[in-house]
Amino acid sequence: MSVTHHPVRPRYTLVDHHGREVTEQDFPGRHQLVFFGFTHCRAVCPRVLGLLSTVLDDLGPLADRIQPLYISVDPERDTPDVLRAFLERTYPRFLGLTGSPEAAEAARAAFRIFAGRGADPEDPEGYAVPHTALTYLLDPGAAYLAHFPDVLAAAEIADRIRKLVR
């Protein structure tokens, strides 16, 4: 993974699950571990959020230098209150981010995340939002450092993060 050649320009202006406006510059001195998803997801998001929670546990005190972020690809349903209830119940280390459909789309575009609404007869509202399942690591200046596909094991992600977060 080359830092200088990766096209991601991680920029966003969203609302966190406490209702505060945040940008990529609001976590000074901390790395950001960023995953995009949606609270109605039944497969990928729970698996990856569990995986990343294990990674953070494995990192021990080093995890205190990392802000885990869960950015919604479904801002119509994922209001700040919905994100807060979802994350605080099961993934309390994560801060949820959402916003207007335009702000969410701008964040997805900045990270080069695909997401699109598709029919899902098993969902109570009839749709799901398939999306790219990459996790990004940003440095304390909010610049791209690395990305991790969802197929990696927690130990491998933790080892890579230890080498990048010093």
Side-chain angles (χ1 to χ4, degrees):
M1 292 178 276
S2 172
V3 171
T4 57
H5 298 356
H6 199 279
V8 171
R9 295 182 47 98
R11 301 292 174 256
Y12 57 85
T13 300
L14 296 166
V15 176
D16 73 14
H17 69 225
H18 300 292
R20 300 175 296 220
E21 183 176 289
V22 296
T23 74
E24 73 284 350
Q25 298 299 318
D26 285 328
F27 306 98
R30 299 186 79 190
H31 288 71
Q32 297 172 51
L33 190 65
V34 181
F35 182 71
F36 286 76
F38 64 109
T39 61
H40 283 231
C41 182
R42 293 185 307 274
V44 175
C45 296
R47 180 173 46 78
V48 173
L49 289 170
L51 173 80
L52 295 174
S53 294
T54 300
V55 167
L56 294 166
D57 289 344
D58 289 352
L59 290 173
L62 188 61
D64 294 340
R65 297 174 53 196
I66 299 170
Q67 175 60 61
L69 299 172
Y70 184 62
I71 299 178
S72 178
V73 296
D74 186 12
E76 289 86 1
R77 290 192 292 198
D78 290 341
T79 65
D81 289 341
V82 168
L83 279 171
R84 186 176 57 251
F86 173 75
L87 293 169
E88 288 182 352
R89 180 179 59 243
T90 311
Y91 311 102
R93 289 180 183 237
F94 283 82
L95 181 65
L97 302 181
T98 189
S100 68
E102 296 80 15
E105 172 56 33
R108 289 193 307 269
F111 283 85
R112 302 181 63 90
I113 295 290
F114 163 80
R117 187 186 276 202
D120 181 355
E122 295 181 28
D123 183 272
E125 296 173 47
Y127 74 92
V129 188
H131 58 87
T132 305
L134 293 175
T135 300
Y136 288 94
L137 181 66
L138 309 183
D139 73 10
Y144 169 87
L145 272 180
H147 66 273
F148 312 104
D150 67 326
V151 297
L152 295 179
E156 185 172 351
I157 296 171
D159 287 344
R160 289 184 184 183
I161 289 175
R162 279 187 197 93
K163 292 174 185 168
L164 295 166
V165 177
R166 302 195 181 263

